[in-house]
Amino acid sequence: MWGKQTQIAGHMATDRNQRGRSRIRLPLWAVGLLALAVLIFLAGSGVWLFRTIVRLAAEAPLVDQPTFESAAEVPATGNGLSTVPEPAVSTAGDAEEILGADEFTPWEGSDRVTILLLGIDRRCDEEGPVRTDSMMVMTVDPVGKTAGLLSLPRDLWVEIPGFGVDRINQAHYFGEGFEYPGGGPALAVETVETTLGIDIHYFVAVNFDAFVEFVNLIDGITLDIPQAIDDPRYPDHCYGYDPFRIDSGSQTLDGETALKYARTRATEGGDIDRAGRQQAVILAARRQAAGRIPDLILQAPILWQTFQNNVKTSLNLDEALQLALLAREISPEKITQVVIGYNDVILQQTPDGQDILVPRRENLRAIRDELFAVAPPPVLPLDELLGKMQQENARVAVYNGTPVFGLASATEVYLREQEVNVVEIGNADSAEYLSSQLIDFGDHPFTSQYLVDLMGIPPLNVSRGQKPDGNYDLLVILGSDWQIPEN
């Protein structure tokens, strides 16, 4: 299949009823700019800022519902997450209901949070389905206090569930045009999940107007431009050209210029270079917004209207604020930036002449494993770890990887005495393990550390798995180095 809509339409009616598990998640450069920068600035002032925005937003005049998204309702996901409601950021009239809480609390979860950022490419005030101009995955580890940004080139040639193979930026278009459950964002989320083999928990979709508006509200962003760019064929807001040129060196960019810098492909690296620039724009906005909290408070009504007109997200405001508080705790050196580059793809053409980037699957797996690896949790005394482990309530399986008969059963007794939730024992695939292994099939950092400290498992023997063979969250494989401590 080569992405032709005539082929898609023929089987759309059959597929539509089979895809009840659409998932919703998060945005990108323009999206990332708002999702990251705005959240950061909101977080910076704590409860006082929260209450100030409550008052200012409640005073803002009513405006119409966003028109650039067509999704009406999002069904439950297939990864254990609850049904994602319609975006809370809808109309200013909802402000009191959304923001009416006396206070909010920091993010309390320990599991990794992953968001898909979508930059929406709508031109000429056109109606109907649109493609994404950009896609980025943002992931945050609330325990290790780390974050990652992964840019996905729009020409990446991937499987779009139910539609065959096509460019990844077509997923949003198909989701809208063929009334996929949850609309364009849902299909975009599911496509990225399928491509990377990860779960995405939220999405943020932002159009160009929101990007420009927000950069202007923070008085622009300052960037070190590595090379001059001359793009005489940069697209305007319709289907003509708006030539763009920028010199190298330190530059302060307004909203329109920042948008052009983030979107242009007129460098040797094309779409790959562009993805790197988009990440630079996000982090520059993060820095700028963090220093502009007082001014932004006064402009809260303008921000509110910008959001409701130009932003679609599955995050409600409480979640956004809580994630902002979490993001504030992550230092810049703990943010990993990854762009899928030309070493990670094969340049090809479709039979009808489209230039595409076919992913090297082994490279994508390595990128995924690096970016989404479980970060080492803070070092805590064993007694403190016990309480953290109990909060995770993780299920542990113990398999015997030695020839010692009954070792798994005896270890089960010992671990239960140490309040570990052992739910299964058995024999490993081999009886020749020299050292014990620990596999975490999720994010259970405190249980992992507790077992490592308790059993003396070498840190290099701790890994992450995708799908366990049984109903457990962590698997301990006993090696010949393991002996049950004497009382």
Side-chain angles (χ1 to χ4, degrees):
M1 293 179 145
W2 295 98
K4 295 180 180 179
Q5 295 183 33
T6 54
Q7 294 174 313
I8 293 167
H11 63 255
M12 181 56 211
T14 301
D15 287 342
R16 188 181 304 162
N17 295 328
Q18 298 174 353
R19 294 190 305 274
R21 301 189 322 153
S22 66
R23 302 171 187 170
I24 289 301
R25 315 307 189 257
L26 125 102
L28 160 62
W29 54 274
V31 180
L33 181 55
L34 287 166
L36 191 56
V38 175
L39 298 185
I40 294 297
F41 100 71
L42 285 172
S45 62
V47 174
W48 173 71
L49 172 58
F50 177 78
R51 290 175 175 167
T52 301
I53 291 180
V54 170
R55 177 177 57 80
L56 293 175
E59 295 172 357
L62 293 176
V63 298
D64 293 335
Q65 183 77 2
T67 58
F68 77 94
E69 280 292 345
S70 61
E73 206 173 294
V74 179
T77 71
N79 59 3
L81 296 170
S82 59
T83 299
V84 179
E86 270 298 282
V89 182
S90 55
T91 64
D94 295 330
E96 292 191 46
E97 178 180 353
I98 296 170
L99 298 169
D102 291 334
E103 60 183 26
F104 59 91
T105 58
W107 190 268
E108 295 181 346
S110 60
D111 291 344
R112 178 181 296 279
V113 181
T114 302
I115 303 169
L116 179 63
L117 309 175
L118 303 166
I120 301 301
D121 186 6
R122 185 179 294 281
R123 307 179 192 181
C124 297
D125 297 322
E126 61 190 358
E127 298 181 357
V130 293
R131 296 169 180 80
T132 51
D133 185 71
S134 307
M135 276 190 178
M136 186 182 296
V137 178
M138 181 170 69
T139 182
V140 178
D141 178 358
V143 175
K145 297 296 189 295
T146 62
L149 293 172
L150 173 63
S151 293
L152 303 170
R154 66 180 185 178
D155 291 340
L156 200 64
W157 195 248
V158 300
E159 179 76 23
I160 299 178
F163 294 85
V165 290
D166 211 311
R167 286 189 175 100
I168 198 168
N169 74 331
Q170 287 285 99
H172 188 275
Y173 180 90
F174 292 151
E176 287 194 328
F178 294 96
E179 299 179 2
Y180 188 88
L187 186 56
V189 162
E190 188 161 356
T191 299
V192 175
E193 288 183 323
T194 300
T195 301
L196 298 178
I198 61 172
D199 288 330
I200 297 177
H201 308 111
Y202 302 100
F203 77 84
V204 178
V206 176
N207 67 17
F208 297 156
D209 290 341
F211 177 88
V212 172
E213 180 79 11
F214 184 75
V215 173
N216 287 336
L217 282 171
I218 61 175
D219 289 340
I221 57 175
T222 300
L223 287 171
D224 185 13
I225 310 299
Q227 66 179 106
I229 299 175
D230 186 9
D231 185 359
R233 298 175 65 85
Y234 179 87
D236 62 13
H237 292 294
C238 200
Y239 289 96
Y241 299 118
D242 182 13
F244 169 62
R245 176 176 173 78
I246 190 168
D247 293 326
S248 61
S250 180
Q251 304 276 359
T252 298
L253 313 182
D254 62 14
E256 286 284 355
T257 307
L259 175 64
K260 292 180 178 180
Y261 181 71
R263 292 192 64 214
T264 182
R265 305 170 81 181
T267 56
E268 184 178 358
D271 206 24
I272 305 300
D273 287 353
R274 188 178 78 144
R277 289 194 297 272
Q278 291 166 359
Q279 292 190 4
V281 165
I282 289 177
L283 297 182
R286 181 181 191 266
R287 292 191 300 270
Q288 178 75 353
R292 297 297 311 278
I293 291 171
D295 293 340
L296 290 170
I297 292 172
L298 298 178
Q299 300 180 75
I302 299 175
L303 285 173
W304 185 262
Q305 292 195 19
T306 297
F307 282 151
Q308 63 189 337
N309 286 329
N310 300 304
V311 178
K312 180 88 170 183
T313 179
S314 56
L315 283 161
N316 62 45
L317 189 56
D318 284 342
E319 291 169 332
L321 290 169
Q322 290 170 13
L323 283 172
L325 289 174
L326 173 61
R328 186 187 178 201
E329 299 176 11
I330 299 174
S331 58
E333 62 269 17
K334 293 294 185 70
I335 301 175
T336 302
Q337 297 174 250
V338 180
V339 174
I340 295 176
Y342 287 114
N343 291 333
D344 306 312
V345 297
I346 302 171
L347 279 64
Q348 290 188 1
Q349 277 195 340
T350 65
D352 56 353
Q354 301 180 63
D355 292 322
I356 58 173
L357 304 175
V358 179
R360 299 180 186 271
R361 294 296 175 180
E362 64 277 9
N363 290 37
L364 259 61
R365 282 193 293 269
I367 290 172
R368 177 200 64 193
D369 293 345
E370 175 185 359
L371 195 62
F372 295 89
V374 178
V379 177
L380 298 174
L382 203 60
D383 56 345
E384 291 186 31
L385 270 178
L386 176 61
K388 296 285 189 180
M389 177 196 68
Q390 290 172 333
Q391 291 178 9
E392 288 181 341
N393 195 31
R395 301 165 298 172
V396 178
V398 178
Y399 284 4
N400 189 359
T402 78
V404 180
F405 180 78
L407 185 60
S409 179
T411 302
E412 175 189 18
V413 173
Y414 168 74
L415 291 178
R416 285 187 173 179
E417 289 174 349
Q418 311 305 316
E419 302 190 46
V420 177
N421 180 26
V422 180
V423 296
E424 181 179 326
I425 62 172
N427 292 319
D429 57 345
S430 169
E432 298 180 355
Y433 280 87
L434 297 179
S435 59
S436 298
Q437 312 282 319
L438 174 62
I439 305 172
D440 187 350
F441 295 94
D443 283 339
H444 308 95
F446 295 111
T447 304
S448 293
Q449 186 183 345
Y450 187 80
L451 290 168
V452 165
D453 292 353
L454 189 66
M455 303 181 68
I457 299 174
L460 291 178
N461 288 8
V462 179
S463 61
R464 184 172 180 177
Q466 293 298 319
K467 293 182 179 180
D469 293 330
N471 294 320
Y472 51 81
D473 303 307
L474 297 99
L475 172 62
V476 176
I477 301 177
L478 304 177
S480 298
D481 60 343
W482 167 244
Q483 291 183 344
I484 298 174
E486 296 180 0
N487 292 332

